[in-house]
Amino acid sequence: MSDRRTQDEAAIEAVLAAGYRAWAAGDAEAMVADYTEDATAVMTGSLRGSRDVIRRSMALGFEGPLKGSSTWNKRLSLRFLGEDGAIVVSESGILLPGETEVPDPRKVNATWVLEKRDGRWMVAAYHNSPVAAPGN
């Protein structure tokens, strides 16, 4: 991998890690700081069509059912799309207060689409889907 791609990979990892830290802190504003204004998030039953909508939705979650939660994330792959695009696939899940492991039924496969804008990697889209039960 070229030095530039190594730097890009590190920058992408930093974007994701910052989002995970912001989640653990219950900070919706910081969580979307590296999202494009027109970012989308698709999760079971919902479409969030902008950074502001994502931020508002997460703020409500952090005040309610997601209060005190954090996330568990395992990167499965990262591939670049040209010079300014990347896709990260991960297995993820929400850790509720007091949990040290995510129960299998709450694990998801997540796809992150990142775009480099003005030299900065940003989340342009996110999607998750439940991990299939073993044997399916």
Side-chain angles (χ1 to χ4, degrees):
M1 183 181 310
S2 73
D3 186 49
R4 181 171 164 270
R5 282 303 187 198
T6 300
Q7 291 173 357
D8 284 337
E9 185 171 345
I12 288 167
E13 285 295 329
V15 165
L16 298 177
Y20 304 149
R21 284 191 307 274
W23 181 302
D27 186 341
E29 189 70 40
M31 193 184 133
V32 299
D34 292 318
Y35 282 52
T36 63
E37 284 187 40
D38 59 348
T40 57
V42 178
M43 291 162 276
T44 303
S46 75
L47 166 63
R48 299 168 190 169
S50 72
R51 178 176 58 204
D52 191 52
V53 171
I54 297 165
R55 181 196 54 75
R56 285 194 317 261
S57 174
M58 293 309 301
L60 288 172
F62 293 149
E63 292 170 7
L66 300 177
K67 187 173 187 155
S69 68
S70 63
T71 62
W72 168 83
N73 302 279
K74 176 179 151 187
R75 187 178 95 184
L76 302 177
S77 67
L78 182 155
R79 72 179 190 273
F80 290 99
L81 306 172
E83 295 298 313
D84 298 325
I87 296 175
V88 174
V89 176
S90 63
E91 185 175 68
S92 304
I94 298 171
L95 286 164
L96 298 175
E99 291 182 328
T100 58
E101 292 184 30
V102 177
D104 285 342
R106 289 205 324 258
K107 289 182 179 175
V108 298
N109 289 312
T111 303
W112 303 81
V113 178
L114 292 101
E115 179 181 11
K116 196 173 196 179
R117 291 188 182 179
D118 299 321
R120 178 179 169 206
W121 284 100
M122 301 183 78
V123 176
Y126 171 83
H127 175 264
N128 75 40
S129 177
V131 171
N136 287 342

